[in-house]
């Protein structure tokens, strides 16, 4: 409890079951809305704690002032010479009479003084607004009042409100909802009414009635209890933090219990069993000492059963057996049909209304994946990669994927292996939705992602703003990761153009006409994604722009090597000074554009030592930089540029570029042009910040 001028405040909103997935957001929203309401009233509390269980949403605000402060506000009004209507409007706004205004140099001012109010008087209205404006993802009306659209809405029927400031009940007026100091404990252990004294005894009073209001504490009980139950049986749980949070959100008094199922179901793919338990029953799967899936599960009861949970476990075991039996049926049926036969059905499934069928996509991906191998980009068996591509989408028509869409690819991999396909083919089918490192799998995955990106760009379905309905950004990031991590020497523009051409050939003249424009858009898209992907590695986006701006540099491995060498260089003193010299030279050349031509440099006559030194330095630096770039030794290329730093500094210090003699001026501008172009062979320094 706070001091005499402040007290702790408790708010509990009790209702029927709140979906577990909505509880975290509801806790944040309750705290946010409450703080906003306090701010409007000129109040600020101490620490705020928010809680949720399946049947309640609660908040405790510490040290909430019992009184708002007196407020004095000055409002500027119209000029004294303004029309009467302006004055009348201002008087209505302030609630004052003309005599109460102050005339300050011909302008009316109103001084509005508001006496402080008791916080208890304000809280009821705050709670009503919070409840009325609460942003549940889905909400409902209930009871007789629900016939009106103006009736109260909540995630599930709202049954009670507890609002207590210090030891005093805050009156709240919500139609049909009980408001006071009464709440209820656990539905089974302590279903009767409980009188809450205030924020000080709320958490512990409910704990005594088998309700743990702290979500984090329930999560610890689920996490630790599940691990302990498995460990006592010589097993380990398959860790799943999402399942921990969900079980905590489904229970007010969580009690993890170990159960077992018939080992004969273990011939079903592991992922199917785990997903069946997780998605349908909210169970944790278990593994044995060797890491293999064990015929056991951990469920979370919401009750301290007198029999130690035996009946609960038995009931869950029967439900799981039925689920696993269904899964095994789908698996056995799918095993009977070769993937090659399943793949024939893909011609009847639309990939996208503008992009044909999945069979069309499979044909394009197979062609591109084979090209990645045949061209030497990826070292793998070309026949196997083509075979994997032709089978990769076949599991989309299986009963198992129909039941568990999350397992597309995984099921295909199991079926391919069980039906006698090579391990490398089965692995590629299994992994092609991800970012695999195995060469054959990577060839298929990269081809699939590139085709998806190019296909959607070709029909103008590109990501816009925050919208990316076809996950093209993720596909691009995945492609970049595979290319960079494996060091794949891929001419990306060539691959993109070839992929676009595959589709354009089947789509007619319009697609062929757009091919180059689409290729440019896709390369810009990859450049943007590369900057995002490399940001975490500390690579500067402006340097990526500087190298991309050269044009023709679309080997991402070589590009990043160049960028990293460039970053190391520009962050040195020599690099920073050379950049400053470059920008100065570029600015001069831009101003003088069109006023000279390189052929004006003939018959130059004598030149200052600094000018001669820069010309000589350029002779050597240009050749060394070109040679180093050809050898992909970008550090050496930067060293070559570094040798220009002192000559360009001396040139600008001692030489006047805009000489009176037109020929001399042209000669010096020509020298700056050579300097600029020599630097730009490494990267477009105009794109570099600083």
């Amino acid at each position: 409890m706070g001091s005499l001028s402040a007290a702790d405040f408790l708010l509990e909103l009790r209702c029927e079951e709140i979906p577990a997935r909505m509880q975290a957001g509801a806790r944040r929203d309750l705290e946010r809305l409450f703080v906003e309401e306090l701010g409007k009233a000129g109040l600020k509390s101490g620490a705020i704690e928010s809680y949720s269980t399946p049947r309640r949403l609660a908040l405790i605000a510490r040290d909430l002032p019992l009184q708002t402060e007196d407020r004095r506000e000055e409002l500027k009004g119209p000029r004294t010479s303004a029309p009467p209507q302006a004055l009348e409007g201002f008087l209505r706004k302030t609630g004052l009479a003309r005599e109460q205004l102050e005339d300050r140099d011909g302008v009316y001012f109103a001084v509005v003084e508001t006496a402080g109010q008791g916080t208890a008087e304000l809280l009821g209205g705050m709670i009503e607004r919070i409840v009325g404006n609460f942003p549940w993802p889905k909400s409902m009306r209930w009871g007789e009042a629900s016939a009106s659209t103006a009736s109260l809405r909540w995630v599930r029927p709202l049954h009670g409100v507890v609002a207590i400031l210090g030891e005093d009940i805050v009156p709240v007026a919500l139609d049909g909802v009980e408001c006071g100091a009464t709440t209820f404990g656990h539905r089974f252990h302590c279903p009767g009414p409980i009188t809450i004294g205030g924020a000080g005894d709320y958490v512990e009073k409910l704990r005594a009635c088998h309700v743990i209001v702290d979500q984090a504490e329930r999560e610890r009980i689920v996490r630790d209890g599940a691990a302990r139950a498995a460990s006592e049986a010589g097993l380990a749980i398959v860790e799943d933090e999402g399942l921990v949070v969900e079980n905590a959100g489904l229970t007010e008094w969580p009690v993890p219990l170990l159960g077992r199922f018939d080992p004969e179901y273990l011939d079903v793919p592991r992922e199917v069993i785990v997903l069946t338990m997780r998605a349908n029953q909210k169970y944790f799967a278990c593994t044995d000492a060797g890491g293999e899936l064990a015929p056991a599960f951990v469920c979370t009861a919401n009750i301290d059963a007198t029999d130690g949970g035996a009946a609960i476990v038995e009931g869950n075991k029967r439900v799981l057996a039925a689920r696993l039996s269904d899964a095994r049926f789908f698996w056995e049926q799918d095993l009977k049909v070769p993937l090659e036969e399943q793949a024939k059905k893909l011609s009847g499934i639309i990939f996208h209304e503008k992009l044909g069928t999945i069979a069309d996509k499979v044909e394009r991906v197979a062609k591109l994946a084979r090209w990645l191998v045949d061209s030497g980009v990826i070292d793998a068996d070309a026949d196997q990669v083509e075979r994997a591509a032709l089978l990769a989408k076949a599991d989309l028509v299986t009963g198992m994927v129909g039941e568990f869409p999350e397992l597309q690819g995984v099921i295909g991999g199991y079926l391919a292996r069980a039906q006698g396909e090579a391990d490398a083919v089965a692995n590629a089918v299994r992994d092609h939705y991800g970012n695999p490192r195995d060469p054959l799998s990577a060839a298929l995955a990269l081809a699939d992602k590139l085709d998806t990106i190019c296909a959607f760009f070709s029909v103008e379905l590109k990501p816009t703003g925050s919208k990316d309905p076809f996950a093209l950004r993720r596909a691009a990031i995945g492609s970049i990761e595979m290319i960079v991590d494996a060091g794949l020497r891929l001419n990306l523009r060539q691959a993109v153009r070839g992929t676009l051409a595959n589709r354009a050939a089947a789509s007619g003249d319009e697609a062929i006409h757009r091919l180059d424009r689409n290729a440019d858009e896709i390369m810009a898209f990859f450049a943007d994604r590369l900057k995002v992907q490399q940001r975490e590695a500390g690579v500067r986006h402006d340097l990526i722009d500087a190298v991309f701006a050269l044009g023709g540099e679309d080997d991402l491995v070589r590009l990043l090597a160049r960028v990293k060498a460039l970053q190391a260089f520009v962050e040195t003193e020599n690099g920073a000074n050379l950049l400053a010299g470059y920008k100065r030279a570029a600015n001069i050349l831009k101003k003088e554009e069109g006023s000279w031509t390189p052929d004006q440099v003939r018959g130059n006559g004598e030149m200052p030592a600094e000018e001669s030194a820069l010309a000589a330095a350029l002779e050597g630096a240009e050749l060394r930089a070109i040679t180093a770039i050809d050898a992909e030794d970008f550090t050496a290329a930067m060293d070559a540029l570094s040798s220009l730093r002192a000559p360009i500094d001396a040139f600008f210090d001692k030489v006047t570029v805009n000489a009176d003699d037109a020929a001399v001026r042209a000669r010096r501008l020509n020298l700056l042009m050579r300097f600029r172009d020599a630097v730009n062979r490494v990267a477009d320094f105009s794109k570099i910040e600083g």
Side-chain angles (χ1 to χ4, degrees):
M1 194 68 71
S3 67
L4 292 176
S5 62
D8 292 344
F9 171 66
L10 165 68
L11 172 63
E12 182 197 71
L13 303 165
R14 182 173 51 82
C15 62
E16 293 181 20
E17 274 71 11
I18 306 170
R21 69 183 182 279
M22 296 186 189
Q23 291 177 30
R27 292 194 302 274
R28 291 192 296 269
D29 286 331
L30 179 60
E31 184 171 334
R32 175 181 58 81
L33 291 172
F34 183 70
V35 169
E36 287 176 3
E37 287 291 338
L38 290 184
K40 293 173 189 174
L43 289 166
K44 186 176 182 181
S45 73
I48 295 178
E49 302 143 20
S50 57
Y51 303 108
S52 65
T53 79
R55 297 200 301 152
R56 67 201 80 222
L57 187 59
L59 173 147
I60 291 176
R62 305 292 179 187
D63 296 322
L64 184 61
L66 297 177
Q67 184 91 6
T68 64
E69 294 181 356
D70 295 344
R71 286 192 287 180
R72 185 178 188 277
E73 187 179 10
E74 288 192 356
L75 300 173
K76 183 179 180 181
R79 299 192 63 80
T80 55
S81 59
Q85 298 91 329
L87 177 59
E88 289 168 10
F90 185 58
L91 292 175
R92 282 196 301 272
K93 176 182 175 182
T94 60
L96 300 178
R98 160 69 186 82
E99 296 75 24
Q100 293 172 289
L101 300 181
E102 296 181 13
D103 180 350
R104 301 180 189 173
D105 297 327
V107 177
Y108 284 122
F109 279 83
V111 178
V112 181
E113 294 184 349
T114 307
Q117 290 179 272
T119 301
E121 301 168 20
L122 300 171
L123 282 169
M126 292 183 190
I127 295 166
E128 292 165 29
R129 288 189 292 275
I130 288 171
V131 171
N133 298 321
F134 207 86
W136 292 107
K138 290 185 179 179
S139 58
M140 61 183 290
R141 298 190 298 269
W142 61 92
E144 292 182 9
S146 65
S148 168
T149 56
S151 66
L152 180 66
R153 298 184 68 93
W154 199 243
V155 62
R156 298 289 185 271
L158 185 62
H159 292 316
V161 176
V162 173
I164 304 174
L165 180 61
E167 298 178 353
D168 299 325
I169 295 173
V170 174
V172 182
L174 292 172
D175 289 343
V177 179
E178 294 180 12
C179 302
T182 302
T183 189
F184 289 79
H186 192 281
R187 189 185 297 277
F188 304 113
H189 286 298
C190 194
I194 308 163
T195 300
I196 301 297
D201 69 354
Y202 175 71
V203 173
E204 291 310 315
K205 210 160 207 178
L206 278 174
R207 185 190 303 277
C209 296
H210 276 72
V211 175
I212 297 171
V213 296
D214 186 347
Q215 169 83 11
E217 183 179 351
R218 296 198 311 280
E219 289 175 11
R220 284 194 298 273
I221 292 170
V222 172
R223 187 185 301 108
D224 298 345
R228 185 167 54 252
S231 179
E232 289 171 355
L235 303 172
I237 62 165
V238 175
E239 293 185 5
D240 187 332
E241 193 59 24
L243 200 51
V244 168
V245 173
E246 189 165 14
N247 274 290
L250 291 168
T251 55
E252 291 193 319
W253 193 260
V255 180
L257 299 168
L258 180 80
R260 296 184 182 274
F261 61 85
D262 194 325
E264 69 177 11
Y265 291 116
L266 291 177
D267 60 0
V268 176
R270 171 178 177 145
E271 290 85 352
V272 173
I273 297 173
V274 172
L275 188 58
T276 296
M277 290 196 282
R278 184 195 199 283
N280 296 318
Q281 306 306 130
K282 317 307 177 192
Y283 300 160
F284 292 92
C286 296
T287 56
D288 59 24
E292 297 297 320
L293 197 64
F297 63 91
V298 175
C299 61
T300 306
N302 189 32
I303 187 173
D304 255 337
T306 55
D307 65 354
I312 294 172
V313 168
E314 188 59 32
N316 280 289
K317 177 180 175 181
R318 285 197 300 271
V319 173
L320 179 58
R323 293 283 189 181
L324 292 178
S325 180
D326 289 344
R328 186 167 62 177
F329 171 79
F330 286 123
W331 171 243
E332 290 174 346
Q333 293 301 112
D334 290 338
L335 273 175
K336 296 175 183 177
V337 184
L339 279 177
E340 203 164 7
E341 287 298 311
Q342 300 279 33
K344 294 176 182 177
K345 303 173 189 175
L346 297 177
S347 59
I349 301 177
I350 298 297
F351 173 57
H352 185 275
E353 60 184 354
K354 293 184 177 181
L355 295 171
T357 67
I358 294 179
D360 296 330
K361 177 176 175 59
V362 165
E363 184 178 346
R364 295 194 304 268
V365 170
K367 186 175 180 180
L368 178 58
R370 179 155 197 133
W371 175 81
L372 288 170
V373 173
D374 285 341
S375 63
V377 172
I378 296 177
D379 184 14
D381 185 294
D383 291 336
Q384 284 190 336
V385 80
E386 186 173 0
R387 176 71 176 171
L390 294 173
L391 300 179
K393 306 295 183 183
D395 67 352
L396 294 176
V397 297
T398 62
M400 191 65 88
V401 171
E403 185 74 7
F404 301 107
E406 306 96 318
L407 296 183
Q408 54 190 277
V410 173
I411 295 302
Y414 274 109
L415 289 170
R417 187 169 281 105
Q419 293 172 356
E421 298 292 340
D423 283 348
V425 171
N427 291 342
V429 170
R430 178 193 65 200
D431 298 334
H432 79 281
Y433 288 107
N435 304 328
R437 298 296 177 263
D438 171 74
L440 194 144
S441 300
L444 175 54
L446 183 57
D448 188 37
K449 289 173 175 58
L450 287 176
D451 177 78
T452 296
I453 293 166
C454 293
F456 282 108
F457 266 79
S458 72
V459 291
E460 306 298 320
L461 292 174
K462 299 167 282 192
T464 55
S466 62
K467 295 180 180 179
D468 185 13
F470 307 111
L472 303 187
R473 293 186 179 111
R474 188 171 66 207
I477 289 286
S479 300
I480 290 166
E481 287 178 354
M482 285 189 288
I483 291 168
V484 172
D485 291 351
L488 302 181
R489 307 310 303 270
L490 171 65
N491 182 320
L492 185 58
R493 175 175 283 276
Q494 182 184 3
V496 164
R497 210 177 181 288
T499 307
L500 288 167
N502 278 346
R503 235 196 65 73
S507 303
D509 293 341
E510 185 182 350
I512 294 171
H513 178 71
R514 290 199 308 263
L515 197 150
D516 286 324
R517 175 167 61 84
N518 289 149
D520 290 341
E521 292 172 338
I522 292 168
M523 291 306 296
F525 176 65
F526 267 101
D528 181 60
R529 291 301 94 195
L530 183 66
K531 285 184 277 188
V532 171
Q533 191 260 350
Q534 287 292 310
R535 188 180 299 144
E536 290 184 5
V539 177
R540 286 169 43 177
H541 67 87
D542 58 322
L543 303 185
I544 292 176
D545 283 337
V547 176
F548 255 119
L550 292 174
E553 182 55 282
D554 53 3
D555 178 330
L556 298 187
V557 173
R558 187 171 60 219
L559 182 145
L560 284 177
R562 189 187 292 237
V563 167
K564 287 172 183 176
L566 179 59
Q567 182 157 336
F569 174 60
V570 298
E571 291 177 356
T572 65
E573 182 184 359
N574 271 352
N577 288 336
L578 186 74
L579 176 60
Y582 170 89
K583 289 186 179 293
R584 187 172 176 184
N587 286 335
I588 291 171
L589 290 168
K590 186 174 182 181
K591 287 179 183 176
E592 299 298 325
E593 191 174 3
S595 68
W596 65 287
T597 56
D599 61 8
Q600 288 179 283
V601 302
R602 297 192 184 108
N604 296 333
E606 292 285 333
M607 65 174 66
E610 292 80 10
E611 186 178 350
S612 297
L614 178 58
L618 279 168
E619 289 288 346
E622 284 174 313
L623 180 59
R624 285 192 291 127
I626 292 170
T627 302
I629 290 168
D630 289 344
E632 298 188 12
D633 186 350
F634 300 112
T635 300
M638 301 305 156
D639 286 342
L641 291 188
S642 182
S643 69
L644 296 175
R645 179 262 171 109
I648 193 66
D649 286 352
F651 178 85
F652 281 127
D653 188 42
K654 300 291 185 181
V655 177
T656 301
V657 176
N658 288 321
D660 293 334
D661 185 318
V664 171
R665 177 169 158 274
R667 185 186 71 209
R668 290 171 182 172
L669 288 170
N670 185 67
L671 191 60
L672 290 185
M673 183 185 70
R674 283 184 58 201
F675 166 71
R676 181 197 63 189
D677 292 349
V679 173
N680 277 348
R681 285 193 180 92
V682 173
D684 184 346
F685 270 51
S686 68
K687 303 289 185 184
I688 300 176
E689 297 172 2

